[in-house]
Amino acid sequence: MKTPCSSLALLTLLSPGAHAFAPHLHRSTSTALRAAPPTQSNFLTPELAASCIAAASGTPLYAYSLPALADAASKCLAFPNAYGLTVRYAMKACPNGSVLKYFLSRGIHIDASSGYEVRRAMEAGFKPEMISLSSQELPGDFADLMEMGIKVNACSVSQLERIGKAFPNTNQKVGIRINPGVGSGGFSSSTTGFSKTNVGGPSSSFGIWHELVSDGTVPSIVEKYGLEVERIHTHIGSGSDPAIWQSVATRSLSFCKIWDTVTALNLGGGYKVGRNPGEKTTDLIEIGTPVADAFREFAKENNGRELKLEIEPGTYLVANAGALVATIQDKVSTSDHIFLKMDAGMTDVLRPSLYGAIHPITILPGSGESSDIGTETESVVVVGHCCESGDLMTPKPGEPEALEERTLRKAEVGDIAVMDGSGAYCSGMSTKNYNSFPEAPEVLVTAEGEVHLIRKRQRLEQIYENECDVPEGVF
């Protein structure tokens, strides 16, 4: 077992090869989640989980499977395309430097969502020209970033104006992110209504509304400042319906006809991933092949213009490559439920509390020995360690305020709970430091079962080290 955070060793390793509410009861009717509980998680046996715990000096922790990252990367790099492909990792999904460096070693580029992510990616070794920025908040230093070579997509009319004013009549290259009028994501079936994971349609603030492109508003700004549009960008949501994504992808080609300077169409990401038994993962070849054909047809109809394809997977690359490893630190019961309390929670995996997202949970023996796996099961509600009634790990699907019992292997205090599907939007999107719980460490697990510490556990002092005392006499 290896634990040091050595940059040199890591580069060698990574080379290619109390808001209270009253939750109501919903007893699970899911056959898949009530099937016989597994004896190991996606990639962690009791023994390997114990090695991860030793490397991280206790729980909770995040573990990432290098083979799973490699497999997902290979699938994305094989996405069908007609005239060239750039895969950009949506780094907000899991921004750990070791994960970034691995994808860099595979030739994957970066999709950043803030100026801070841009800087973080460069620190990990990405060259500016490998980074694309699409942000709800255009950073104050956007002009400096663009001069470095960062590819910036204007995500609003005002952003486009600011870029134009910073680079008037210089043929500055820019991308345009367009809201195509529909969206798709998560548990919502609506393509126009609001959803926390839907970033397209009239209820979404992301991108420039498509009618502002077709009515000449955006083209006039481009002409006014002498900008050069080199890229069209669309993204409709996370966990989007494959058929809707495919339809929007094909429709997005029409925006490329407006400017003959466009050389690439970025179709975003949001590919649905099956975290739980019975859930399907998007077949990239199946959805990509017709899109590649549409690019070829576009070329035929537009004087041979061969557009390159860009995609921005985040969840697809890392979701099932990661797991939260926690300890069952308490077990309580009421007249209605048995509750398992983990030493982790919304401070580590927020998705259940935020979206009503479902993660598979596997109970492993605290001994770390497969021989100690029992056969008895029980229906339980799993909760986190926060003094917060919303810290719920087993909600009803899509309903974060509804309890759902889960049939798991019978657990005792001291046993281990592994939440799979925690590679994306967990460590990078948590309520860390709530109740002053420290940020959990992260480890990387190789195909050979070696465990490498890639982020240390945060010390208590680090939580409040930026606080400042007020002058004497203020209170």
Short mmCIF file of all heavy atoms in Angstrom, two decimals, residues 45-81:
data_model
loop_
_atom_site.label_atom_id
_atom_site.label_comp_id
_atom_site.label_asym_id
_atom_site.label_seq_id
_atom_site.Cartn_x
_atom_site.Cartn_y
_atom_site.Cartn_z
N THR A 45 -13.70 -4.56 -2.71
CA THR A 45 -13.98 -5.69 -1.85
C THR A 45 -13.77 -5.23 -0.40
O THR A 45 -13.23 -4.15 -0.16
CB THR A 45 -13.00 -6.83 -2.14
OG1 THR A 45 -11.66 -6.37 -1.86
CG2 THR A 45 -13.08 -7.28 -3.60
N PRO A 46 -14.17 -6.02 0.57
CA PRO A 46 -13.90 -5.62 1.96
C PRO A 46 -12.42 -5.38 2.21
O PRO A 46 -12.04 -4.44 2.91
CB PRO A 46 -14.43 -6.81 2.77
CG PRO A 46 -15.54 -7.37 1.93
CD PRO A 46 -15.03 -7.23 0.51
N GLU A 47 -11.59 -6.23 1.61
CA GLU A 47 -10.15 -6.09 1.82
C GLU A 47 -9.60 -4.81 1.19
O GLU A 47 -8.78 -4.10 1.79
CB GLU A 47 -9.42 -7.31 1.25
CG GLU A 47 -9.64 -8.61 2.00
CD GLU A 47 -10.99 -9.27 1.72
OE1 GLU A 47 -11.70 -8.81 0.80
OE2 GLU A 47 -11.34 -10.23 2.42
N LEU A 48 -10.05 -4.51 -0.02
CA LEU A 48 -9.57 -3.31 -0.69
C LEU A 48 -10.10 -2.05 -0.02
O LEU A 48 -9.40 -1.03 0.07
CB LEU A 48 -9.96 -3.34 -2.17
CG LEU A 48 -9.30 -2.31 -3.09
CD1 LEU A 48 -7.79 -2.29 -2.91
CD2 LEU A 48 -9.66 -2.60 -4.55
N ALA A 49 -11.34 -2.12 0.47
CA ALA A 49 -11.89 -0.99 1.22
C ALA A 49 -11.06 -0.72 2.47
O ALA A 49 -10.79 0.43 2.82
CB ALA A 49 -13.35 -1.26 1.59
N ALA A 50 -10.62 -1.79 3.13
CA ALA A 50 -9.79 -1.64 4.32
C ALA A 50 -8.46 -0.99 3.97
O ALA A 50 -7.93 -0.17 4.73
CB ALA A 50 -9.55 -3.01 4.97
N SER A 51 -7.90 -1.33 2.80
CA SER A 51 -6.65 -0.70 2.37
C SER A 51 -6.84 0.79 2.11
O SER A 51 -5.97 1.60 2.43
CB SER A 51 -6.14 -1.39 1.10
OG SER A 51 -5.78 -2.73 1.36
N CYS A 52 -7.98 1.13 1.53
CA CYS A 52 -8.28 2.55 1.29
C CYS A 52 -8.39 3.31 2.61
O CYS A 52 -7.90 4.44 2.74
CB CYS A 52 -9.58 2.68 0.50
SG CYS A 52 -9.50 2.09 -1.20
N ILE A 53 -9.04 2.69 3.59
CA ILE A 53 -9.22 3.33 4.89
C ILE A 53 -7.87 3.53 5.57
O ILE A 53 -7.60 4.57 6.18
CB ILE A 53 -10.17 2.48 5.77
CG1 ILE A 53 -11.58 2.49 5.16
CG2 ILE A 53 -10.20 3.00 7.20
CD1 ILE A 53 -12.53 1.49 5.80
N ALA A 54 -6.99 2.54 5.44
CA ALA A 54 -5.66 2.67 6.03
C ALA A 54 -4.88 3.79 5.36
O ALA A 54 -4.21 4.59 6.03
CB ALA A 54 -4.92 1.34 5.90
N ALA A 55 -4.96 3.88 4.03
CA ALA A 55 -4.23 4.91 3.30
C ALA A 55 -4.72 6.30 3.66
O ALA A 55 -3.94 7.27 3.71
CB ALA A 55 -4.36 4.68 1.80
N ALA A 56 -6.02 6.44 3.91
CA ALA A 56 -6.62 7.74 4.23
C ALA A 56 -6.67 8.01 5.72
O ALA A 56 -7.16 9.06 6.14
CB ALA A 56 -8.04 7.80 3.66
N SER A 57 -6.16 7.08 6.51
CA SER A 57 -6.17 7.21 7.97
C SER A 57 -7.59 7.37 8.52
O SER A 57 -7.87 8.23 9.35
CB SER A 57 -5.29 8.38 8.42
OG SER A 57 -3.95 8.18 8.00
N GLY A 58 -8.49 6.54 8.04
CA GLY A 58 -9.85 6.52 8.54
C GLY A 58 -10.88 6.92 7.51
O GLY A 58 -10.56 7.20 6.35
N THR A 59 -12.12 6.91 7.93
CA THR A 59 -13.24 7.30 7.08
C THR A 59 -13.79 8.64 7.56
O THR A 59 -13.50 9.05 8.70
CB THR A 59 -14.35 6.23 7.12
OG1 THR A 59 -14.78 6.06 8.48
CG2 THR A 59 -13.87 4.91 6.56
N PRO A 60 -14.56 9.35 6.73
CA PRO A 60 -14.93 8.99 5.36
C PRO A 60 -13.82 9.32 4.38
O PRO A 60 -12.90 10.07 4.70
CB PRO A 60 -16.17 9.85 5.11
CG PRO A 60 -15.90 11.09 5.93
CD PRO A 60 -15.23 10.59 7.18
N LEU A 61 -13.95 8.75 3.19
CA LEU A 61 -12.99 9.01 2.12
C LEU A 61 -13.66 8.75 0.78
O LEU A 61 -14.69 8.07 0.70
CB LEU A 61 -11.76 8.12 2.27
CG LEU A 61 -11.98 6.60 2.13
CD1 LEU A 61 -11.69 6.12 0.70
CD2 LEU A 61 -11.12 5.82 3.11
N TYR A 62 -13.06 9.32 -0.25
CA TYR A 62 -13.47 9.01 -1.62
C TYR A 62 -12.41 8.11 -2.23
O TYR A 62 -11.21 8.38 -2.10
CB TYR A 62 -13.57 10.27 -2.48
CG TYR A 62 -14.51 11.34 -1.98
CD1 TYR A 62 -14.03 12.39 -1.20
CD2 TYR A 62 -15.87 11.31 -2.29
CE1 TYR A 62 -14.88 13.39 -0.75
CE2 TYR A 62 -16.72 12.31 -1.84
CZ TYR A 62 -16.22 13.35 -1.07
OH TYR A 62 -17.06 14.34 -0.62
N ALA A 63 -12.84 7.07 -2.92
CA ALA A 63 -11.93 6.19 -3.63
C ALA A 63 -12.27 6.23 -5.11
O ALA A 63 -13.45 6.23 -5.48
CB ALA A 63 -12.03 4.75 -3.11
N TYR A 64 -11.23 6.28 -5.95
CA TYR A 64 -11.42 6.30 -7.40
C TYR A 64 -10.67 5.14 -8.03
O TYR A 64 -9.52 4.86 -7.68
CB TYR A 64 -10.92 7.62 -8.00
CG TYR A 64 -11.54 8.84 -7.38
CD1 TYR A 64 -10.84 9.65 -6.50
CD2 TYR A 64 -12.87 9.18 -7.66
CE1 TYR A 64 -11.43 10.76 -5.91
CE2 TYR A 64 -13.47 10.28 -7.09
CZ TYR A 64 -12.73 11.07 -6.21
OH TYR A 64 -13.33 12.17 -5.62
N SER A 65 -11.32 4.48 -8.95
CA SER A 65 -10.74 3.35 -9.65
C SER A 65 -10.04 3.82 -10.92
O SER A 65 -10.70 4.34 -11.84
CB SER A 65 -11.83 2.33 -10.01
OG SER A 65 -11.37 1.41 -10.97
N LEU A 66 -8.74 3.64 -11.00
CA LEU A 66 -8.01 4.04 -12.20
C LEU A 66 -8.44 3.23 -13.42
O LEU A 66 -8.60 3.80 -14.51
CB LEU A 66 -6.50 3.90 -11.97
CG LEU A 66 -5.59 4.40 -13.09
CD1 LEU A 66 -5.89 5.85 -13.46
CD2 LEU A 66 -4.13 4.25 -12.69
N PRO A 67 -8.65 1.91 -13.31
CA PRO A 67 -9.14 1.16 -14.47
C PRO A 67 -10.49 1.67 -14.98
O PRO A 67 -10.73 1.71 -16.19
CB PRO A 67 -9.25 -0.28 -13.95
CG PRO A 67 -8.26 -0.36 -12.84
CD PRO A 67 -8.32 1.00 -12.19
N ALA A 68 -11.38 2.07 -14.07
CA ALA A 68 -12.68 2.58 -14.49
C ALA A 68 -12.54 3.93 -15.18
O ALA A 68 -13.24 4.22 -16.17
CB ALA A 68 -13.63 2.70 -13.29
N LEU A 69 -11.63 4.77 -14.69
CA LEU A 69 -11.37 6.04 -15.36
C LEU A 69 -10.83 5.79 -16.76
O LEU A 69 -11.21 6.46 -17.73
CB LEU A 69 -10.35 6.87 -14.56
CG LEU A 69 -10.82 7.44 -13.21
CD1 LEU A 69 -9.63 8.09 -12.49
CD2 LEU A 69 -11.94 8.44 -13.39
N ALA A 70 -9.93 4.82 -16.87
CA ALA A 70 -9.33 4.50 -18.16
C ALA A 70 -10.37 3.99 -19.15
O ALA A 70 -10.38 4.38 -20.33
CB ALA A 70 -8.23 3.45 -17.97
N ASP A 71 -11.27 3.14 -18.70
CA ASP A 71 -12.30 2.59 -19.58
C ASP A 71 -13.24 3.68 -20.08
O ASP A 71 -13.57 3.74 -21.27
CB ASP A 71 -13.09 1.51 -18.82
CG ASP A 71 -14.19 0.90 -19.67
OD1 ASP A 71 -13.87 0.26 -20.69
OD2 ASP A 71 -15.38 1.07 -19.33
N ALA A 72 -13.65 4.56 -19.18
CA ALA A 72 -14.56 5.65 -19.57
C ALA A 72 -13.87 6.60 -20.53
O ALA A 72 -14.48 7.07 -21.51
CB ALA A 72 -15.04 6.40 -18.33
N ALA A 73 -12.59 6.88 -20.29
CA ALA A 73 -11.84 7.76 -21.19
C ALA A 73 -11.76 7.15 -22.59
O ALA A 73 -11.95 7.86 -23.60
CB ALA A 73 -10.45 8.01 -20.63
N SER A 74 -11.50 5.87 -22.67
CA SER A 74 -11.39 5.21 -23.97
C SER A 74 -12.70 5.28 -24.74
O SER A 74 -12.72 5.50 -25.95
CB SER A 74 -10.97 3.74 -23.79
OG SER A 74 -9.66 3.66 -23.25
N LYS A 75 -13.81 5.11 -24.04
CA LYS A 75 -15.11 5.16 -24.70
C LYS A 75 -15.41 6.56 -25.23
O LYS A 75 -15.95 6.71 -26.33
CB LYS A 75 -16.20 4.70 -23.73
CG LYS A 75 -16.16 3.20 -23.43
CD LYS A 75 -17.21 2.80 -22.42
CE LYS A 75 -17.17 1.29 -22.17
NZ LYS A 75 -18.14 0.86 -21.13
N CYS A 76 -15.05 7.58 -24.45
CA CYS A 76 -15.30 8.95 -24.91
C CYS A 76 -14.41 9.31 -26.09
O CYS A 76 -14.84 9.97 -27.04
CB CYS A 76 -15.08 9.93 -23.76
SG CYS A 76 -16.36 9.88 -22.48
N LEU A 77 -13.17 8.86 -26.05
CA LEU A 77 -12.24 9.15 -27.15
C LEU A 77 -12.62 8.43 -28.43
O LEU A 77 -12.15 8.78 -29.51
CB LEU A 77 -10.81 8.77 -26.73
CG LEU A 77 -10.19 9.69 -25.67
CD1 LEU A 77 -8.94 9.05 -25.08
CD2 LEU A 77 -9.86 11.07 -26.25
N ALA A 78 -13.48 7.41 -28.31
CA ALA A 78 -13.95 6.67 -29.48
C ALA A 78 -15.30 7.18 -29.98
O ALA A 78 -15.93 6.55 -30.82
CB ALA A 78 -14.06 5.18 -29.15
N PHE A 79 -15.75 8.34 -29.48
CA PHE A 79 -17.04 8.91 -29.88
C PHE A 79 -17.04 9.13 -31.39
O PHE A 79 -16.09 9.70 -31.94
CB PHE A 79 -17.27 10.24 -29.16
CG PHE A 79 -18.69 10.70 -29.17
CD1 PHE A 79 -19.52 10.47 -28.09
CD2 PHE A 79 -19.21 11.39 -30.27
CE1 PHE A 79 -20.84 10.91 -28.09
CE2 PHE A 79 -20.53 11.83 -30.28
CZ PHE A 79 -21.35 11.58 -29.18
N PRO A 80 -18.08 8.67 -32.08
CA PRO A 80 -18.12 8.81 -33.54
C PRO A 80 -18.01 10.26 -33.98
O PRO A 80 -18.62 11.15 -33.37
CB PRO A 80 -19.49 8.22 -33.90
CG PRO A 80 -19.81 7.28 -32.79
CD PRO A 80 -19.25 7.94 -31.56
N ASN A 81 -17.23 10.50 -35.01
CA ASN A 81 -17.09 11.85 -35.54
C ASN A 81 -16.73 11.79 -37.00
O ASN A 81 -16.20 10.78 -37.49
CB ASN A 81 -16.02 12.63 -34.76
CG ASN A 81 -14.64 12.02 -34.90
OD1 ASN A 81 -13.88 12.40 -35.79
ND2 ASN A 81 -14.30 11.06 -34.05
#
